Amino acid sequence: MRKWNSAFAALAASYISVVLVIVLLLCSAFYLYFSNHYKEELQGRNRLILDNTARTLEASVLQRVQQIYLEVSLNQRSALRMLPDASLPANLSKVSSLQESLNMQVSNHSDLIQAVHLYAPRQHLLLSSLYGLKFRADQQAGAAYWMDWVNGMNLNSRNSLWTEARFVPDDIVSSIPGGSGSQLITYVHSYPFQSPGAASELLIAIDLKESALRAILQNMMPARYQSSFIATPTGGILAGSSPDAAAQADTYAASISNALASPETSGNMSQEIGGSTYVISYQDLPTTGWKLFSAAPANLFYEKWLVVQRVILSLCLIALLVGICLSGILAKLNYSPLKRLLRTIKDLYGPGPEVPGVPGPALNEFGIIDSAFIRLNNKVTTLEGRLRPAVRISGRI
């Protein structure tokens, strides 16, 4: 009798099949549930980190810059009105006092801003905490470093403007390449407050240090993020956790474009970069219209989920092994009565009972029992045939 054809093998196979079906169904259900639930939890935590970082950027940088504008515009009203006035040359002492006030603002917020500038568009006059008083400022050496935001406001229908980050050398007059300088972002607001940029009497500009934004991103964004940066509505990278973040604009161009086109204020997406999948997350900065981005390799972003995944698969494997062992034990217990019956049949009939037309090796235990009953039936029939004449004779006597 072949082992694979035995009743024990059939019982074991049936139990194992039941175990396999139950374990696979349960494991699939647990896997799908925990997969969706845990991924949503990870994405929720990521959104919380981005939201907290965005709030910190708003409160610690962007709103502080706007507060500096309010302090300058409200505390120096008379002096500000003097700049566009024709009587300015006769009031240079007031100009000096106003410049000292601008210097005080820079000193009080030295961690955040580089300089404060006042520009009268019609008179082309500049008063700066850094560059001093300049007449015909649009024609002065280094004018390109302030005329970009002046021209931007001339074309602006709103009353404020945030420029792109750009490099401003410490010495704007010298044309020597490779000089020291800073990456600056300028916030410009018209004065009076409600006047549009093209019609304003005075422009108040505040140079924000890009390094202030970078410091917050480095401190608040987890180390697992390979890159975090701020993108402008034009798709350029304004600042990032690394000094060369602006050079990565082409790398993340597709994700930036999708995020800018999305009506959602926050979200996640995937992007293939260099043959690897990255999870790109974004969050709005409502004060400026910028978006905060973070990028992390998918295997690092879902690192904790991969651990949970391995735990689930390990538990399923253990459950499967335990189920197979229990199947073997149950099959052995249920096979024991059948085994005792087989032993009894062999003791009575000897080995090798056969079913007519079926080879002996092809029989399993049930075939042997069936063969035994057939042989028993044949013997009973033969015995009845022999005993019937004797019974008739005894009946005649």
Side-chain angles (χ1 to χ4, degrees):
M1 177 175 53
R2 298 176 183 176
K3 292 184 178 180
W4 60 266
N5 195 36
S6 65
F8 178 81
L11 285 172
S14 63
Y15 288 133
I16 290 173
S17 298
V18 172
V19 168
L20 281 173
V21 171
I22 294 174
V23 170
L24 290 177
L25 286 176
L26 289 176
C27 288
S28 298
F30 280 123
Y31 183 87
L32 292 174
Y33 172 77
F34 283 107
S35 174
N36 294 330
H37 180 75
Y38 201 77
K39 283 184 178 180
E40 287 176 0
E41 184 178 347
L42 287 175
Q43 291 173 357
R45 290 180 181 177
N46 180 61
R47 283 193 296 270
L48 182 61
I49 292 171
L50 281 178
D51 184 62
N52 288 337
T53 305
R55 289 176 184 273
T56 302
L57 288 169
E58 291 274 351
S60 301
V61 177
L62 305 179
Q63 291 177 7
R64 277 181 64 191
V65 171
Q66 292 178 332
Q67 183 63 34
I68 293 171
Y69 162 80
L70 291 176
E71 291 176 3
V72 172
S73 61
L74 296 177
N75 297 338
Q76 301 291 334
R77 287 186 179 182
S78 60
L80 292 177
R81 290 173 183 170
M82 174 190 64
L83 284 180
D85 198 292
S87 62
L88 176 64
N91 293 285
L92 292 180
S93 60
K94 293 183 179 180
V95 172
S96 178
S97 175
L98 179 58
Q99 186 178 5
E100 288 180 7
S101 174
L102 299 182
N103 288 330
M104 185 64 68
Q105 287 289 349
V106 175
S107 177
N108 291 339
H109 305 280
S110 59
D111 62 320
L112 184 65
I113 64 175
Q114 179 86 356
V116 179
H117 315 286
L118 305 176
Y119 188 86
R122 295 168 189 168
Q123 290 75 23
H124 302 292
L125 184 143
L126 174 73
L127 177 63
S128 169
S129 63
L130 190 61
Y131 307 128
L133 179 64
K134 292 185 179 294
F135 294 95
R136 297 182 179 179
D138 57 328
Q139 301 175 17
Q140 295 283 341
Y145 295 107
W146 57 76
M147 289 307 296
D148 57 347
W149 50 262
V150 171
N151 293 331
M153 285 297 286
N154 286 336
L155 301 174
N156 192 12
S157 59
R158 296 182 299 174
N159 58 5
S160 64
L161 171 72
W162 289 89
T163 70
E164 303 279 343
R166 73 247 190 249
F167 179 79
V168 178
D170 294 334
D171 184 0
I172 62 172
V173 177
S174 173
S175 58
I176 300 175
S180 60
S182 305
Q183 288 285 339
L184 300 178
I185 303 154
T186 302
Y187 172 67
V188 195
H189 202 294
S190 61
Y191 183 88
F193 185 84
Q194 295 295 340
S195 60
S200 59
E201 297 178 6
L202 188 69
L203 300 178
I204 301 176
I206 302 166
D207 285 341
L208 167 65
K209 296 177 181 178
E210 182 265 351
S211 58
L213 298 173
R214 189 192 322 137
I216 291 177
L217 294 180
Q218 290 174 340
N219 290 335
M220 296 200 65
M221 299 301 287
R224 70 174 179 270
Y225 294 126
Q226 182 167 321
S227 180
S228 54
F229 54 88
I230 299 170
T232 64
T234 61
I237 292 181
L238 191 77
S241 55
S242 60
D244 61 343
Q248 300 175 337
D250 291 339
T251 303
Y252 300 106
S255 295
I256 294 174
S257 177
N258 290 336
L260 292 174
S262 173
E264 301 295 332
T265 59
S266 63
N268 297 285
M269 66 189 78
S270 297
Q271 180 181 344
E272 290 287 333
I273 300 175
S276 301
T277 302
Y278 281 71
V279 176
I280 312 294
S281 306
Y282 64 90
Q283 173 72 43
D284 271 0
L285 295 172
T287 297
T288 59
W290 301 339
K291 285 186 184 291
L292 172 63
F293 286 83
S294 67
N299 59 338
L300 294 179
F301 186 84
Y302 293 120
E303 184 176 12
K304 292 183 178 180
W305 157 241
L306 294 176
V307 174
V308 174
Q309 186 182 50
R310 293 190 188 100
V311 170
I312 293 175
L313 294 177
S314 299
L315 291 176
C316 290
L317 182 59
I318 291 171
L320 189 60
L321 292 175
V322 171
I324 291 174
C325 293
L326 290 176
S327 297
I329 294 171
L330 289 173
K332 188 174 182 180
L333 290 174
N334 290 327
Y335 182 72
S336 295
L338 189 62
K339 188 176 181 180
R340 288 195 296 271
L341 179 60
L342 273 174
R343 190 179 297 115
T344 302
I345 290 173
K346 288 182 178 180
D347 291 341
L348 292 173
Y349 295 100
E354 296 180 355
V355 176
V358 181
L363 294 175
N364 61 11
E365 290 85 340
F366 297 108
I368 293 172
I369 294 171
D370 186 53
S371 176
F373 275 107
I374 291 172
R375 293 176 66 182
L376 178 61
N377 182 63
N378 291 338
K379 286 186 178 182
V380 170
T381 302
T382 303
L383 184 60
E384 285 181 348
R386 291 177 179 176
L387 291 176
R388 190 174 291 115
V391 171
R392 289 175 181 173
I393 294 172
S394 61
R396 293 173 182 175
I397 296 174

